[in-house]
Amino acid sequence: MRSMARWARRLRSDEGSAAIEAAIVLPALIMFLCMAIAGGRIVTSGAKIDSAAEDAAREASIHRTAAAAQGAAQSAAAESLDDQGIKCASTSVSINTGGLSVPVGQVGTVTVTVTCTVNLADLLLPGVPGAKTLTSTATSVVDQYRQRGD
């Protein structure tokens, strides 16, 4: 009888319940933390890619020819991404230099689009893609009185 009472008391005790609760809650907390890190990486990378697009557009707008503007924008975008520590799995820079062909005295613009694929595979989070492609576009005004090339 005494052993039955001891056995019943042991069944009703809370010993070990903390370990079970931790085993249930801990994976959810780790997943939430990884998702927060992934979100933070995407947001900060997006801001840095915006900055690279602005740098490239400004650099392209001060050149006189479309060819020089193309090269300058490519270099400025690559340098800006590198300076900010962004490691893109793939990068593309597209430049619309139509504003350099308008006559002197008229306002033109140069538009640059920077696309960067940010790697998320190192987070090892189930359900999150291995990479996220982010795109940013910036426009810069060409000085209307600046001489333009042919």
Side-chain angles (χ1 to χ4, degrees), residues 70-83:
Q70 295 264 349
Q74 293 275 357
S75 297
E79 185 177 333
S80 180
L81 290 172
D82 187 49
D83 287 348

Side-chain angles (χ1 to χ4, degrees), residues 48-84:
K48 292 175 180 181
I49 292 166
D50 288 345
S51 177
E54 291 168 6
D55 292 346
R58 179 66 189 132
E59 188 65 31
S61 72
I62 61 175
H63 285 79
R64 295 173 192 232
T65 65
Q70 295 264 349
Q74 293 275 357
S75 297
E79 185 177 333
S80 180
L81 290 172
D82 187 49
D83 287 348
Q84 297 181 70

Side-chain angles (χ1 to χ4, degrees), residues 18-104:
I20 293 171
E21 290 170 4
I24 293 170
V25 173
L26 195 58
L29 289 176
I30 291 171
M31 186 179 255
F32 178 75
L33 178 66
C34 288
M35 288 188 69
I37 291 170
R41 185 177 296 177
I42 289 169
V43 169
T44 58
S45 295
K48 292 175 180 181
I49 292 166
D50 288 345
S51 177
E54 291 168 6
D55 292 346
R58 179 66 189 132
E59 188 65 31
S61 72
I62 61 175
H63 285 79
R64 295 173 192 232
T65 65
Q70 295 264 349
Q74 293 275 357
S75 297
E79 185 177 333
S80 180
L81 290 172
D82 187 49
D83 287 348
Q84 297 181 70
I86 296 291
K87 306 280 188 277
C88 298
S90 66
T91 307
S92 71
V93 180
S94 130
I95 303 117
N96 178 353
T97 57
L100 294 175
S101 63
V102 299
V104 173

